[in-house]
Amino acid sequence: MLWSALLLSPSSADAPRPIEPAALQALAIWALQFTPRVALADDAVLMEVEASLRLFGGRRALRDRVWSEGQELGVGQLAWAPNSLAALALARAGRENGLRGPLEALLDALPMTVLSAVRPHALTLAHIGCRTLGDVRALPRGGIARRFDKALLHALDQAYGLAPEVHEWVQLPETFEARLELVFRVDEASALLFGARRLLLQMCGWLAARHSGVTAFTLHWAHDVMRSREAGEGGQLTVGTAEPMRDVEHLCRLLAEHLAKVELAAPVGDLRLTADTVHRLLETSASLLPDNAVHQGETLHLVLERLAARLGPERVLRPVLGEDHRQEWMCRWQPAPLALPRKPAPGPALPQPTFVLPLPLRLAMRGNRPIYQGELQLLAGPQRVEGGWWDRVASAPDEDATTRHVARDYWVALSALAGVLWIFQTRLDEAPAWYLHGHFA
């Protein structure tokens, strides 16, 4: 077995600093992304990580990730050992690696007060010459059992691996809500990102444990109690993403773009983050073979979301294929932050042009053949498109609505000078005509 102990702040064995239960609970929820076996004990978070080593790339890779992310959440000390109580004792003593040598030798050299069960009897043990755990363990077991409570002897046996441990595992909550009291009052909205990042890191850990992503989260802030009456209780900002996401860096960049447009009505002293819309995230399976592809930069939808957050959603649009075979209304534009349709519309049978004219251009005729920079040769077709009787539009409020019904036969045509073209012939008109509607690149 392999256990890890996390302490929220560097604490000496003689005068440990009190830890807020809410901060400890938040750290435990974040730790659930690494292993489902997380427990709280003696102002520390304990993780049983033996089964997670291969998933995260080995002991060193897991340690580096836990340490790098944990520091942002206030973790001040980390330790590894074959059991949880030994890991906790090593963490309190400032020793990280409990696997470097025999466990008995490592624990014997630690100050005796690294075990919570020793502290009530520390003065008595010090009077009889005990300084380390090795000194306490060297005392006669019968004398320890008679003079002190059984908890001391039982804790020693657990730390040295001679007695089993029992833990109450932390349960993953169904919803996420985290709160953070700022160290100092903040006057500018952009400065809220420092505290919000810590909350986002907790939320991403909760999402990873649920194998999910978020498409909307809300940052709430509370104004200082010395605010003016007009300022109100506080404010909030909701950030949305087009796809389920739990990348803390991208979420921080999105939040920073939105906060840049916010003006605080009063100094802020408290933050709260909630995950509003959560979706199951489809994980990508890793390959058994080495992947030589180098992935650099951001994907397109991440860049579009950042631009939309900076410029406004109505100024950054993306094309979406609609369920319509009429060329003019086959594609619609929607704001980039909005989610794409989960079920894509079926594509047409023939290839579609790269460039479409705003209005079809009527072609001249030579005999029965259309002309555009020379006589056109029909290559493929026809693709019959007929519909739109339901699509009614009025040019003015006081005018009757007309339908945008079309009945066309589309062809792929070749011009000696203009290249490959997309043309159609009308079918229901009294005088059928040919039109140019697009170009192929």
Side-chain angles (χ1 to χ4, degrees):
M1 299 290 287
L2 179 61
W3 285 79
S4 176
L6 305 178
L7 298 180
L8 266 177
S9 60
S11 58
S12 65
D14 298 323
R17 217 182 306 175
I19 303 297
E20 294 184 6
L24 202 63
Q25 183 70 22
L27 182 64
I29 294 175
W30 164 82
L32 285 170
Q33 64 180 303
F34 302 109
T35 173
R37 295 186 175 183
V38 176
L40 298 176
D42 292 339
D43 291 338
V45 174
L46 307 175
M47 302 188 299
E48 197 280 290
V49 295
E50 180 70 30
S52 304
L53 295 182
R54 291 183 61 186
L55 177 63
F56 290 93
R59 186 187 306 163
R60 174 54 57 180
L62 178 57
R63 178 265 174 204
D64 292 342
R65 180 171 172 181
V66 171
W67 178 244
S68 61
E69 294 186 11
Q71 281 184 300
E72 296 189 56
L73 297 176
V75 173
Q77 191 60 48
L78 174 149
W80 307 84
N83 64 75
S84 63
L85 204 54
L88 178 57
L90 290 167
R92 286 173 172 169
R95 303 281 297 274
E96 178 177 324
N97 194 346
L99 307 174
R100 183 169 297 176
L103 182 62
E104 293 81 359
L106 294 174
L107 294 179
D108 282 347
L110 300 182
M112 62 179 179
T113 49
V114 294
L115 285 184
S116 299
V118 175
R119 292 174 182 172
H121 316 290
L123 183 60
T124 303
L125 291 171
H127 286 166
I128 59 177
C130 293
R131 297 291 182 271
T132 65
L133 286 180
D135 295 336
V136 178
R137 195 164 70 102
L139 297 175
R141 291 180 61 89
I144 295 178
R146 289 190 300 270
R147 189 165 186 177
F148 306 105
D149 54 30
K150 295 182 179 180
L152 173 58
L153 196 59
H154 187 60
L156 285 172
D157 290 340
Q158 287 181 326
Y160 282 85
L162 302 177
E165 296 178 302
V166 178
H167 295 287
E168 183 177 350
W169 305 118
V170 174
Q171 299 297 319
L172 187 68
E174 292 297 323
T175 58
F176 178 84
E177 180 177 349
R179 178 183 171 275
L180 177 66
E181 183 178 355
L182 301 178
V183 179
F184 51 86
R185 299 300 178 256
V186 175
D187 297 318
E188 296 185 2
S190 57
L192 297 178
L193 186 64
F194 180 79
R197 178 182 174 86
R198 183 168 177 174
L199 297 177
L200 285 172
L201 197 61
Q202 297 176 24
M203 183 184 72
C204 290
W206 175 79
L207 290 170
R210 292 178 59 89
H211 305 285
S212 301
V214 67
T215 55
F217 65 91
T218 302
L219 178 67
H220 308 258
W221 59 84
H223 291 150
D224 186 73
V225 293
M226 303 300 294
R227 66 185 182 276
S228 63
R229 183 175 301 177
E230 293 77 11
E233 296 288 336
Q236 66 182 39
L237 175 64
T238 300
V239 179
T241 62
E243 297 181 3
M245 175 67 56
R246 64 165 181 257
D247 182 0
V248 65
E249 299 299 334
H250 178 64
L251 295 180
C252 281
R253 286 192 289 264
L254 276 182
L255 183 59
E257 298 291 351
H258 285 83
L259 286 175
K261 305 175 185 178
V262 175
E263 184 175 351
L264 298 178
V268 173
D270 188 272
L271 294 179
R272 183 168 60 91
L273 185 72
T274 58
D276 301 332
T277 309
V278 179
H279 298 279
R280 194 75 173 179
L281 194 61
L282 297 178
E283 305 288 350
T284 302
S285 298
S287 174
L288 294 176
L289 301 177
D291 187 4
N292 296 324
V294 178
H295 302 283
Q296 296 180 351
E298 293 180 304
T299 59
L300 176 61
H301 80 274
L302 297 184
V303 176
L304 292 178
E305 284 182 356
R306 291 181 58 196
L307 290 176
R310 180 176 302 178
L311 304 177
E314 69 283 352
R315 297 185 179 181
V316 182
L317 307 177
R318 69 194 319 181
V320 178
L321 186 63
E323 295 185 356
D324 200 323
H325 286 80
R326 296 173 299 168
Q327 194 73 56
E328 295 91 330
W329 303 281
M330 185 181 295
C331 176
R332 61 182 175 87
W333 295 85
Q334 72 173 28
L338 296 182
L340 294 175
R342 293 188 176 273
K343 183 180 180 181
L350 285 182
Q352 298 299 296
T354 309
F355 304 99
V356 177
L357 300 180
L359 293 174
L361 175 65
R362 184 163 183 167
L363 300 176
M365 301 293 294
R366 180 180 296 169
N368 294 326
R369 287 186 175 273
I371 298 174
Y372 183 78
Q373 299 185 24
E375 190 173 300
L376 299 181
Q377 178 184 357
L378 303 182
L379 299 180
Q383 175 185 327
R384 180 157 295 181
V385 175
E386 184 170 355
W389 56 267
W390 62 88
D391 191 0
R392 307 180 66 86
V393 61
S395 57
D398 56 347
E399 295 183 3
D400 294 335
T402 59
T403 63
R404 294 190 287 199
H405 180 75
V406 299
R408 303 167 179 171
D409 285 340
Y410 277 93
W411 297 79
V412 178
L414 177 63
S415 170
L417 298 178
V420 183
L421 306 177
W422 183 245
I423 65 175
F424 69 85
Q425 182 185 30
T426 58
R427 294 182 50 252
L428 300 182
D429 297 345
E430 294 183 1
W434 288 87
Y435 291 84
L436 171 65
H437 207 170
H439 297 259
F440 289 89

